[in-house]
Every structure is written in C-alpha cells, then in structure tokens.
Amino acid sequence: GFSSFLWMLVGTVLARVARTPDGLLLAAKLACALLYLVNAGLVQWLALGCLSRGAALATTWLYAVSAIAICSVTDGMENHLFLTLHLLLALAYLRLRDGKASGGIWMAGLALVLFLLPVCRPERVLTGGARVLALGFEWRRLPPPARRTAVGAIGAAGVLGTAYQAWRAAYFGA
C-alpha cells in the first residue's frame, strides 16, 4: 500500500510523544480531530469570502456533519492534513486573485503549501498545478505585487519539489 511521506513525518513526531502503538494511534486520531476543526474554520473563512453569511454557515455545517469528514478523524490517516493543505491553497489563490496576498510571508506560505501537497500525496501535483494554471488565466487581473508573490512561490516550490524528488529517487530508488 501507499504511505504518505508527510504523514509518516507527522507520525514520527507523534511517536516521540506517544510511546506505545496504542498511544500513537490515539495521538494520530487527536491530530486528525484538531485538523478537522482547523478545516471547519478554513471552510468557514473561504465560504464567507464567496457566499452570504447563511450560505457560508450552511457550507461549514455540511462539511462538519459529512460522514467522510467524521470517519476520517477516527481512521487516523492523512486525509485531514491533505484537506488542510488544499484549503490553504484555495485561500491563497483567492487572496492572490483579490490582491490581498503579497510579500515574503505569503510567498513562503504558498511555496510551502505547493511543495507539501505532493509530499502528502504525489498525485496532488495535478491539483496544485490546476490552481497554478487557474492563476495563469487571471494573470492580467493580478496586481504586480501578487504576481511577484505567485512567481516566487511557484519557483521556490519547484526547486523544493525537484530536490525532494531527487532525494526520494536516490533514497528509495525509481
């Protein structure tokens, strides 16, 4: 089966705190519960930026009571981390598009999210790439500071991703 490299790193940190296999499982479930709550907040934040207050509340409620969101807490796997990264990417995309995200902090944060998505799940190069492509379609509408932020973040993520893939190939083989 597949193991998410990023989730294995999280598991390594959790294993330092939880010294037993049962403790590690509980710690993973608690991490998922925390990420579930973070994701509810991110869904609310994103929805408030696009929808009426009532529709945003309904969207957040639908996420919070969805079976997949709840079951993903109890499995202790990377699903909520994966969703957190996607929601952060969506937030960054909307803020860049609206000219509200520029500068070094946004550049570093966006680069980190773009880099971590495929480290969490390799096929996410496609979804990250889709957001980058969508940003390209709106390029002329972006204010110059947002353009510089996007270019810097995409470039940094590309360098980090290339270095990670080179290390991964050297360490694990093909």
Side-chain angles (χ1 to χ4, degrees):
F2 171 78
S3 294
S4 163
F5 186 72
L6 184 57
W7 193 245
M8 292 299 102
L9 292 176
V10 170
T12 300
V13 172
L14 295 175
R16 297 276 183 192
V17 176
R19 300 286 181 174
T20 66
D22 288 340
L24 177 57
L25 180 59
L26 178 60
K29 289 180 180 184
L30 288 173
C32 289
L34 178 63
L35 288 168
Y36 166 82
L37 295 173
V38 167
N39 290 340
L42 288 170
V43 166
Q44 178 74 12
W45 191 359
L46 286 163
L48 283 171
C50 304
L51 304 169
S52 70
R53 188 171 183 82
L57 183 61
T59 301
T60 305
W61 183 82
L62 287 171
Y63 160 75
V65 300
S66 70
I68 191 69
I70 294 167
C71 290
S72 291
V73 168
T74 61
D75 69 14
M77 297 301 289
E78 81 277 359
N79 296 322
H80 283 288
L81 175 60
F82 177 62
L83 181 58
T84 300
L85 293 170
H86 271 287
L87 291 170
L88 289 171
L89 184 58
L91 175 65
Y93 169 80
L94 292 175
R95 293 193 57 93
L96 278 168
R97 188 191 69 184
D98 295 341
K100 296 177 182 174
S102 62
I105 300 261
W106 278 99
M107 187 183 303
L110 180 55
L112 186 63
V113 169
L114 285 170
F115 166 67
L116 289 178
L117 264 171
V119 175
C120 186
R121 289 193 185 159
E123 73 274 13
R124 292 312 143 209
V125 167
L126 300 175
T127 55
R131 295 251 168 69
V132 168
L133 184 61
L135 198 57
F137 285 121
E138 300 190 60
W139 193 253
R140 291 178 193 245
R141 288 184 36 202
L142 294 179
R147 289 181 194 178
R148 286 189 294 276
T149 299
V151 168
I154 293 165
V159 169
L160 290 170
T162 300
Y164 168 73
Q165 290 302 330
W167 168 82
R168 187 176 170 92
Y171 188 82
F172 294 109

